[in-house]
Amino acid sequence: MKTNKEPYKILLLGAGGQMGTTLTHLKWPEAVQLYPYFHQDMDLKNHQALEDIFHHHQWDFVINAAGLVKVDQAEHMGKEPYLVNGLGVLHLGGLCQKYGVPLLHYSTDYVFDGQKKEPYTEHDLPSPLNVYGLSKLFGETALQAYTEKHIILRTSWIYGLYGHNFLKMILKKSREQEKLSIVNDQIGIPTFSEDLGEATKIITLAVLKNPKFSSWGLYHYAGEGATNWYEYAHFILETCYGSEKAARILTPISTAQNLHFNPLVAARPSFSVLDGSRIKEVFSIKPKPWKERVGQVVHRYLAKNLWNSERI
Ligand SMILES: NC(=O)c1ccc[n+]([C@@H]2O[C@H](COP(=O)([O-])OP(=O)(O)OC[C@H]3O[C@@H](n4cnc5c(N)ncnc54)[C@H](OP(=O)(O)O)[C@@H]3O)[C@@H](O)[C@H]2O)c1
């Protein structure tokens, strides 16, 4: 760690999103100072503005939590997802390379096509089914090609207390609608944003503490276990109302049925469980069982009485 009094300066992009907000609420050591930039302060597409904040500040580390994460809308947004998740990341990575600043960037399980039936490792070949996945793969590839000091953290199904996520959507809709149809044939792992935040912190500090750090590259991190969207939703509502009511509200449907009712949804992998062996081996970061974590977060909503608040 730095021996003088000045803390490490960490540039955080996408500070207003789920992960950005989680990271700003996280407890960081005093030796570290986070500089959050929101979408309105810094657009990844504005290459000149990005260049300026590298020119005017000496960053020790960059965390990129910014991105276009609207999976269904991305299908109909033309080149926008590629400009943000691809070209924007390429440019950011270029600046990190130019100024010698390490970069941690998030990516997604949706780079895979779901044909594999066991957890995906970092060695598996991506083959995205949707525009979002393809645009994220563009960003990954750019970093791998042009940015030596990079960590790409692929994750899946993020939920937590901030921003938009499936857990909140299910809680909210269960109060507004009597019936909800949820797909039961897409398998993945919910990941609690605070666990991903802690993993991010561990990696960031490992890099900052060790000038000779060399374990750059791609890592998978998600919750532990596997589930499908219907089972996940059932568990959320079961925790709130008990299993009978959860079963009355929820109807399992297939992806094909869902597509019939919602023809504009993007294709998604039927299986996108991530294998977290590498991150465990290199950083001793272990996944947390998804059910235990989801249960705890639902109880946090109930305890804080967010349940009845408009914030859900
Ligand atoms: N959410 C998931 O389930 C999930 C799963 C796997 C991987 N990931 C990855 O994890 C990362 C964080 O996701 P998240 O859930 O925190 O997403 P999020 O809540 O949508 O946050 C993304 C942030 O990026 C901002 N943003 C969008 N376009 C931008 C641009 N052109 N320039 C600068 N900022 C921009 C958004 O601002 P606006 O709100 O103004 O658009 C938002 O504040 C992303 O890289 C995502 O691909 C997410």
Coordinates of all heavy atoms in Angstrom, one line a residue, residues 14-20 38-39 42-45 64-70 80 84 105-109 132 136 155-158 163-164 196, ligand 1:
G14 N -20.0 4.7 -13.8 CA -21.3 4.0 -13.6 C -21.7 4.0 -12.2 O -22.4 3.1 -11.7
A15 N -21.4 5.1 -11.4 CA -21.6 5.2 -10.0 C -23.1 5.1 -9.6 O -23.5 4.8 -8.5 CB -21.0 6.4 -9.4
G16 N -24.0 5.4 -10.6 CA -25.4 5.5 -10.2 C -26.2 4.1 -10.4 O -27.3 4.0 -10.1
G17 N -25.5 3.1 -11.0 CA -26.1 1.9 -11.3 C -26.2 0.9 -10.0 O -25.8 1.3 -8.9
Q18 N -26.6 -0.3 -10.3 CA -26.7 -1.3 -9.1 C -25.3 -1.5 -8.5 O -25.2 -1.3 -7.3 CB -27.1 -2.6 -9.7 CG -28.5 -3.0 -9.5 CD -28.7 -4.5 -9.7 OE1 -28.9 -5.2 -8.7 NE2 -28.6 -5.1 -10.9
M19 N -24.4 -1.8 -9.4 CA -23.0 -2.1 -8.8 C -22.3 -0.8 -8.4 O -21.6 -0.8 -7.4 CB -22.2 -2.8 -9.8 CG -22.4 -4.3 -9.9 SD -22.5 -5.1 -8.3 CE -20.9 -4.8 -7.6
G20 N -22.5 0.3 -9.1 CA -21.9 1.5 -8.8 C -22.3 2.0 -7.4 O -21.5 2.4 -6.6
F38 N -21.0 9.6 -12.3 CA -22.3 9.1 -12.8 C -22.4 9.2 -14.3 O -21.6 10.0 -14.9 CB -23.4 9.9 -12.0 CG -23.4 9.6 -10.5 CD1 -22.5 10.3 -9.7 CD2 -24.2 8.7 -10.0 CE1 -22.4 10.1 -8.4 CE2 -24.2 8.5 -8.6 CZ -23.3 9.2 -7.8
H39 N -23.4 8.6 -14.8 CA -23.7 8.7 -16.3 C -23.7 10.1 -16.8 O -23.1 10.4 -17.8 CB -25.0 7.9 -16.6 CG -25.2 7.7 -18.1 ND1 -26.3 7.0 -18.5 CD2 -24.5 8.0 -19.2 CE1 -26.2 7.0 -19.9 NE2 -25.1 7.6 -20.3
M42 N -20.2 11.5 -16.9 CA -19.2 10.9 -17.8 C -19.9 9.8 -18.6 O -20.3 8.8 -18.1 CB -18.1 10.2 -16.9 CG -17.0 9.5 -17.7 SD -16.3 10.4 -19.0 CE -15.8 11.9 -18.1
D43 N -20.0 10.1 -19.9 CA -20.6 9.1 -20.8 C -19.5 8.4 -21.5 O -18.5 9.0 -22.0 CB -21.4 9.9 -21.9 CG -22.3 8.9 -22.6 OD1 -21.8 7.9 -23.2 OD2 -23.5 9.2 -22.7
L44 N -19.6 7.0 -21.4 CA -18.5 6.2 -22.0 C -18.3 6.5 -23.5 O -17.2 6.2 -24.1 CB -18.8 4.7 -21.9 CG -18.4 4.0 -20.6 CD1 -18.8 2.6 -20.6 CD2 -16.9 4.2 -20.3
K45 N -19.3 7.1 -24.1 CA -19.2 7.4 -25.6 C -18.4 8.7 -25.8 O -18.1 9.0 -26.9 CB -20.6 7.5 -26.2 CG -21.3 6.2 -26.3 CD -22.7 6.3 -26.9 CE -23.5 7.2 -26.1 NZ -24.8 7.5 -26.6
N64 N -14.8 -0.1 -13.8 CA -15.9 0.3 -14.7 C -17.2 -0.5 -14.4 O -17.3 -1.7 -14.8 CB -15.5 0.0 -16.2 CG -16.6 0.5 -17.1 OD1 -17.3 1.4 -16.8 ND2 -16.7 -0.2 -18.2
A65 N -18.1 0.2 -13.8 CA -19.4 -0.4 -13.5 C -20.5 0.2 -14.5 O -21.7 0.0 -14.3 CB -19.8 -0.1 -12.1
A66 N -20.0 1.0 -15.4 CA -20.9 1.6 -16.4 C -21.1 0.7 -17.6 O -20.2 -0.1 -18.0 CB -20.3 2.9 -16.9
G67 N -22.3 0.7 -18.1 CA -22.6 -0.1 -19.3 C -24.0 0.0 -19.6 O -24.9 0.4 -18.8
L68 N -24.3 -0.4 -20.8 CA -25.7 -0.5 -21.3 C -26.2 -1.9 -21.0 O -25.8 -2.9 -21.6 CB -25.8 -0.2 -22.7 CG -27.2 0.2 -23.3 CD1 -27.1 1.2 -24.4 CD2 -28.0 -1.0 -23.6
V69 N -27.1 -2.1 -20.0 CA -27.4 -3.4 -19.4 C -28.9 -3.8 -19.7 O -29.4 -4.6 -19.0 CB -27.0 -3.4 -17.9 CG1 -27.1 -4.8 -17.3 CG2 -25.7 -2.9 -17.6
K70 N -29.5 -3.1 -20.6 CA -30.9 -3.3 -20.9 C -31.0 -4.4 -22.0 O -30.9 -4.1 -23.2 CB -31.6 -2.0 -21.4 CG -31.5 -0.9 -20.4 CD -32.0 0.4 -20.9 CE -32.1 1.4 -19.8 NZ -31.3 2.6 -20.1
E80 N -26.0 1.5 -30.6 CA -25.8 2.1 -29.3 C -25.1 1.1 -28.3 O -24.1 1.5 -27.7 CB -27.2 2.6 -28.7 CG -27.1 3.2 -27.3 CD -26.5 4.6 -27.4 OE1 -26.3 5.2 -28.5 OE2 -26.2 5.2 -26.3
V84 N -21.4 1.8 -26.6 CA -21.1 1.9 -25.1 C -20.3 0.7 -24.6 O -19.2 0.9 -24.1 CB -22.5 1.9 -24.3 CG1 -22.2 2.0 -22.8 CG2 -23.3 3.1 -24.8
H105 N -13.2 -4.5 -14.9 CA -14.4 -4.3 -15.7 C -15.4 -5.5 -15.5 O -14.9 -6.6 -15.5 CB -13.9 -4.2 -17.2 CG -15.0 -4.2 -18.2 ND1 -15.9 -3.1 -18.4 CD2 -15.4 -5.2 -19.1 CE1 -16.7 -3.4 -19.4 NE2 -16.5 -4.7 -19.8
Y106 N -16.7 -5.2 -15.5 CA -17.6 -6.3 -15.3 C -18.1 -6.8 -16.7 O -18.4 -6.0 -17.6 CB -18.9 -5.8 -14.5 CG -18.5 -5.4 -13.1 CD1 -18.7 -4.1 -12.7 CD2 -18.1 -6.4 -12.2 CE1 -18.4 -3.7 -11.4 CE2 -17.8 -6.0 -10.9 CZ -17.9 -4.7 -10.5 OH -17.6 -4.3 -9.2
S107 N -18.3 -8.1 -16.8 CA -18.9 -8.6 -18.0 C -20.0 -9.7 -17.5 O -20.3 -9.8 -16.4 CB -17.9 -9.2 -19.0 OG -18.6 -9.4 -20.2
T108 N -20.4 -10.4 -18.5 CA -21.7 -11.2 -18.2 C -21.7 -12.6 -18.7 O -20.9 -13.0 -19.6 CB -22.8 -10.5 -19.0 OG1 -24.0 -11.2 -19.0 CG2 -22.5 -10.3 -20.5
D109 N -22.5 -13.4 -18.0 CA -22.7 -14.8 -18.4 C -23.4 -14.9 -19.8 O -23.4 -15.9 -20.4 CB -23.6 -15.5 -17.4 CG -24.9 -14.8 -17.1 OD1 -25.0 -13.6 -17.2 OD2 -25.9 -15.5 -16.8
Y132 N -26.9 -7.6 -26.5 CA -26.2 -7.2 -25.3 C -24.9 -8.1 -25.1 O -23.8 -7.5 -24.8 CB -27.1 -7.3 -24.1 CG -26.5 -7.3 -22.7 CD1 -25.9 -6.2 -22.2 CD2 -26.4 -8.5 -21.9 CE1 -25.3 -6.2 -20.9 CE2 -25.8 -8.5 -20.7 CZ -25.3 -7.3 -20.2 OH -24.7 -7.3 -19.0
K136 N -21.0 -6.9 -25.1 CA -20.1 -7.1 -23.9 C -18.9 -7.9 -24.3 O -17.8 -7.6 -23.9 CB -20.9 -7.8 -22.8 CG -22.0 -7.0 -22.2 CD -21.6 -5.8 -21.4 CE -20.8 -6.1 -20.1 NZ -20.4 -4.9 -19.4
T155 N -20.1 -12.0 -14.4 CA -21.0 -12.4 -13.3 C -22.4 -12.6 -13.9 O -22.6 -12.5 -15.1 CB -21.0 -11.3 -12.2 OG1 -21.8 -11.7 -11.1 CG2 -21.6 -10.0 -12.7
S156 N -23.4 -12.9 -13.1 CA -24.7 -13.2 -13.6 C -25.8 -12.8 -12.6 O -25.6 -12.7 -11.4 CB -24.8 -14.7 -13.8 OG -24.7 -15.4 -12.6
W157 N -26.9 -12.4 -13.2 CA -28.2 -12.2 -12.5 C -28.0 -11.4 -11.2 O -28.4 -11.8 -10.1 CB -28.8 -13.6 -12.1 CG -29.1 -14.5 -13.3 CD1 -28.7 -14.4 -14.6 CD2 -30.0 -15.6 -13.3 NE1 -29.2 -15.4 -15.3 CE2 -30.0 -16.2 -14.5 CE3 -30.8 -16.2 -12.3 CZ2 -30.8 -17.3 -14.9 CZ3 -31.6 -17.3 -12.6 CH2 -31.6 -17.9 -13.9
I158 N -27.4 -10.2 -11.3 CA -27.2 -9.4 -10.1 C -28.5 -8.9 -9.5 O -29.4 -8.4 -10.2 CB -26.3 -8.1 -10.5 CG1 -25.0 -8.6 -11.1 CG2 -26.0 -7.3 -9.2 CD1 -24.1 -7.4 -11.6
G163 N -31.1 0.1 -7.4 CA -31.3 0.0 -8.8 C -32.3 -1.1 -9.2 O -33.1 -1.5 -8.4
H164 N -32.3 -1.4 -10.5 CA -33.3 -2.3 -11.0 C -32.8 -3.8 -11.0 O -31.7 -4.0 -11.4 CB -33.7 -2.0 -12.4 CG -34.2 -0.6 -12.6 ND1 -35.5 -0.3 -12.2 CD2 -33.7 0.5 -13.1 CE1 -35.7 1.0 -12.4 NE2 -34.6 1.5 -13.0
L196 N -20.5 -9.4 -4.8 CA -19.7 -9.0 -6.0 C -18.9 -7.7 -5.6 O -17.7 -7.6 -6.0 CB -20.6 -8.7 -7.2 CG -19.9 -8.3 -8.5 CD1 -19.0 -9.4 -9.0 CD2 -20.9 -8.0 -9.6
Ligands
LIG1 N1 -27.5 -6.6 -13.9 C1 -27.1 -7.9 -14.1 O1 -27.8 -8.8 -13.8 C2 -25.7 -8.1 -14.7 C3 -25.4 -9.5 -15.0 C4 -24.1 -9.7 -15.5 C5 -23.2 -8.7 -15.7 N2 -23.6 -7.4 -15.4 C6 -22.6 -6.4 -15.7 O2 -22.4 -5.7 -14.5 C7 -22.1 -4.3 -14.8 C8 -23.0 -3.4 -13.8 O3 -24.3 -3.8 -14.0 P1 -25.5 -3.1 -13.2 O4 -26.4 -4.2 -12.9 O5 -24.9 -2.3 -12.1 O6 -26.1 -2.2 -14.3 P2 -27.0 -0.8 -14.1 O7 -27.7 -0.8 -12.8 O8 -27.8 -0.7 -15.4 O9 -25.8 0.2 -14.1 C9 -25.1 0.6 -15.2 C10 -24.8 2.1 -15.1 O10 -24.1 2.5 -16.3 C11 -24.7 3.7 -16.7 N3 -24.6 3.9 -18.2 C12 -25.3 3.5 -19.2 N4 -24.8 3.9 -20.4 C13 -23.7 4.6 -20.1 C14 -22.8 5.4 -20.8 N5 -22.9 5.4 -22.2 N6 -21.8 6.0 -20.2 C15 -21.7 6.0 -18.9 N7 -22.5 5.3 -18.1 C16 -23.6 4.6 -18.7 C17 -26.2 3.6 -16.3 O11 -26.8 4.9 -16.3 P3 -28.3 5.1 -16.7 O12 -29.1 4.4 -15.6 O13 -28.4 6.5 -16.8 O14 -28.5 4.3 -18.0 C18 -26.0 3.0 -14.9 O15 -25.8 4.0 -14.0 C19 -22.4 -4.1 -16.3 O16 -21.1 -4.1 -16.9 C20 -23.2 -5.3 -16.7 O17 -23.0 -5.7 -18.0 C21 -24.8 -7.1 -14.9

